[in-house]
Amino acid sequence: MSGAKVISVDAAAWRDAQASARDLAKVRRDMPRLLRQVERAAREDVERARREAAARQDGTDRALAGLSEQARKLEDETGRRLREHGERLAEGRRELAEQGERLAAEIARERAERRAGLAAVDARVGALRGESDAAAAAARRLFDDARTMHDAIRDTLPHDRFAPGRLERLASRLDVARGNLEAHAAGYSLSQVQDLYLDLSELRADVERLALEWEALRAEALAALRTVAATIEDNAERPIAEADPGTVLDVDHWTDGGLAELRDAVARQVDLVADPDCPLDAAELRALITETAPEHEGRLDALVERAAERIVASQLRVNVAEQVVAVLEGQGFAWSGNTYAAGDERRAFFSRLRHRADGGEVVVEVAPDGDGSGFTLRILSYEDDPDDAARRERSAAVSRALRAEGLDAGDPAEEGGEPDPALRDFDRLARPAAQSRPARSRPAAQSRPAAHSRPVAGQDEVRGRGADER
């Protein structure tokens, strides 16, 4: 007859206790102080972006100071509208994008009107067969404006980021126009040069508008990620209802470092977006706002839920051990100690008893069954003169007692062979693993098993419910 008896236990009857765990697992998102900090940082980001945009526009205006009077009027109006657009950064990226679409349409309409006006001039000049001094002067003036605009875009605007390749293509057209002018075909070049100038002007407006909208996206992405980071910090340690003052649920500990991994992932993304040289494009920033940040929040929900379930399961294991000890004390045993495997309350809980008469020992092991609330109960007997009948009665009494408490405990099953003698050595059994971290929120293991810290449901509460459910 084996000295190891296994009793399967279904913890379904303890669902009421787990309802308390579900309350504990609710992620707190009402964080007025932390959210105010996030909002303040977001306002600072927007104001920084607005100042940088204004400084960039000032630099472009200075670079365009040499434009002809007619071109200057057009660019002054464009600059005014872009500045007004920049002042709307604080309204958020959706409003800015909508306004940006309207702005782009208005600028395109103005350019179309300008093209039509210049086409009429070009037609009159064409009638003179390109010989007119007026045509040549207009072409050269427009070429100088185009060159000034090209240089301003090259030197002051992030064209490579927001319109890659466009300036290089326009620069090639500028070289062709220069060659025509040098070949004394100025009059015939007028149409070519005016189209080139207006395309450069459109590029200027597009780059400035897209840069503003990118900054709005960046600010919103930062706010979303910082909100997640603040929520993580606010939920890292959760006060445990009905526990001793100061007792907390350490979510990172009970998720085996899962919270730290999430915290680090979010922090890396915050640093990436906050970097002045952030490499993300508009589509990637939108994905951070609409996909990545919500995914992080969902992962946090799952981690807090897992931590709550695991601490409840750990407490239930302690409560079950207490019940088994009470049964065995009625059979002549005296409790002599508790421990956790490797000193880790996330692992199996052990109680040891010694028989008052013959000195035989029994070790009660309540081990987690996966990550949920289930567990496996083993009763390990160590006796010099085994009494098989006594062992059977001992295990059967434990099953009856558990069923009386509302647990669906099966009949004892034999395990092959004798139990491992090493499980009697609690000093060795409790020795922490080399990389283990100190526990932050554990059920009792230093005295006889009982739910003295009662993180979710005390023994009396569970017993009362079990009696009602029988």
Side-chain angles (χ1 to χ4, degrees):
M1 179 72 64
S2 169
K5 300 291 190 294
V6 180
I7 300 174
S8 62
V9 182
D10 182 352
W14 292 35
R15 287 180 183 140
D16 286 347
Q18 289 179 284
S20 296
R22 287 192 293 273
D23 290 338
L24 183 62
K26 293 177 181 176
V27 171
R28 294 184 304 229
R29 289 190 167 86
D30 181 17
M31 312 171 295
R33 181 182 61 83
L34 291 175
L35 291 178
R36 282 196 298 271
Q37 292 176 354
V38 171
E39 290 168 0
R40 183 167 58 251
R43 288 194 298 271
E44 291 171 355
D45 289 335
V46 169
E47 179 58 23
R48 171 196 51 76
R50 191 195 63 75
R51 289 196 305 269
E52 291 176 357
R56 184 173 61 242
Q57 289 164 349
D58 287 343
T60 304
D61 287 346
R62 287 192 296 271
L64 295 176
L67 289 175
S68 65
E69 182 179 355
Q70 189 176 20
R72 186 69 201 174
K73 289 179 180 178
L74 178 65
E75 299 309 323
D76 283 348
E77 178 61 19
T78 299
R80 182 188 65 78
R81 294 189 178 196
L82 288 168
R83 288 177 186 279
E84 290 178 354
H85 191 49
E87 293 298 324
R88 294 187 173 92
L89 267 174
E91 297 177 7
R93 52 115 180 172
R94 292 182 181 84
E95 291 77 6
L96 196 69
E98 292 172 0
Q99 170 63 23
E101 291 175 1
R102 292 193 293 271
L103 176 62
E106 291 171 2
I107 291 174
R109 184 174 62 254
E110 288 177 353
R111 296 302 187 274
E113 292 172 356
R114 180 72 179 276
R115 285 183 196 277
L118 288 173
V121 173
D122 189 41
R124 292 194 298 273
V125 171
L128 300 176
R129 301 183 182 275
E131 300 300 328
S132 168
D133 290 341
R140 291 189 181 92
R141 184 174 62 251
L142 273 173
F143 176 81
D144 289 341
D145 287 342
R147 185 173 55 191
T148 298
M149 180 64 73
H150 169 274
D151 293 349
I153 295 170
R154 181 194 63 197
D155 297 338
T156 68
L157 297 180
H159 60 91
D160 281 338
R161 175 167 216 158
F162 298 109
R166 281 178 63 181
L167 186 63
E168 288 78 4
R169 291 190 292 272
L170 292 170
S172 297
R173 289 169 57 189
L174 193 64
D175 289 339
V176 172
R178 179 185 293 109
N180 289 337
L181 289 171
E182 291 173 352
H184 307 291
Y188 291 109
S189 302
L190 182 58
S191 177
Q192 175 192 45
V193 175
Q194 69 189 22
D195 282 344
L196 173 59
Y197 172 77
L198 290 173
D199 286 344
L200 282 162
S201 181
E202 287 177 359
L203 175 59
R204 174 252 177 135
D206 286 346
V207 170
E208 293 210 40
R209 176 178 56 82
L210 292 172
L212 286 169
E213 292 165 15
W214 182 86
E215 286 290 0
L217 280 168
R218 181 177 172 222
E220 186 171 347
L222 266 178
L225 291 170
R226 285 172 174 158
T227 298
V228 175
T231 308
I232 290 171
E233 294 308 316
D234 196 57
N235 287 272
E237 293 186 353
R238 307 289 302 274
I240 297 177
E242 304 179 23
D244 295 335
T247 304
V248 297
L249 169 63
D250 182 341
V251 175
D252 188 53
H253 175 68
W254 285 94
T255 56
D256 304 319
L259 191 72
E261 291 179 4
L262 177 59
R263 180 190 288 117
D264 291 346
V266 174
R268 286 193 298 271
Q269 289 176 331
V270 168
D271 291 343
L272 178 68
V273 178
D275 188 333
D277 297 321
C278 172
L280 303 181
D281 61 23
E284 290 168 322
L285 290 172
R286 287 190 194 94
L288 281 177
I289 296 165
T290 61
E291 299 173 18
T292 306
E295 286 171 1
H296 287 326
E297 291 187 344
R299 186 176 168 193
L300 175 61
D301 288 337
L303 287 169
V304 174
E305 181 178 356
R306 181 185 179 214
E309 288 177 350
R310 290 186 76 187
I311 197 173
V312 170
S314 182
Q315 183 65 59
L316 297 185
R317 294 195 294 275
V318 174
N319 290 348
V320 166
E322 190 271 342
Q323 294 174 27
V324 176
V325 166
V327 172
L328 296 179
E329 284 178 331
Q331 297 183 356
F333 285 86
W335 171 83
S336 64
N338 297 329
T339 193
Y340 290 97
D344 188 340
E345 72 279 14
R346 296 166 295 187
R347 300 176 64 178
F349 182 78
F350 295 86
S351 290
R352 185 178 57 204
L353 302 97
R354 182 181 297 275
H355 199 277
R356 293 184 178 88
D358 60 26
E361 284 189 338
V362 170
V363 172
V364 177
E365 176 189 2
V366 190
D369 183 9
D371 229 13
S373 61
F375 52 87
T376 300
L377 169 63
R378 300 168 73 215
I379 301 174
L380 311 174
S381 299
Y382 302 90
E383 299 155 314
D384 294 334
D385 186 15
D387 182 339
D388 291 340
R391 287 179 171 181
R392 283 193 296 271
E393 174 53 30
R394 184 181 306 149
S395 301
V398 168
S399 289
R400 290 193 298 270
L402 294 177
R403 285 194 288 268
E405 295 298 332
L407 292 174
D408 185 10
D411 294 329
E414 296 281 346
E415 265 193 359
E418 291 298 309
D420 184 356
L423 298 178
R424 302 173 67 180
D425 185 351
F426 275 24
D427 289 337
R428 179 180 176 185
L429 191 61
R431 194 169 299 149
Q435 300 300 320
S436 67
R437 56 174 287 175
R440 296 294 306 278
S441 46
R442 63 172 59 184
Q446 292 74 29
S447 58
R448 64 174 284 129
H452 84 278
S453 61
R454 303 193 345 169
V456 177
Q459 181 62 37
D460 292 341
E461 297 171 65
V462 175
R463 179 173 289 121
R465 283 195 292 273
D468 292 340
E469 292 169 358
R470 288 198 301 275

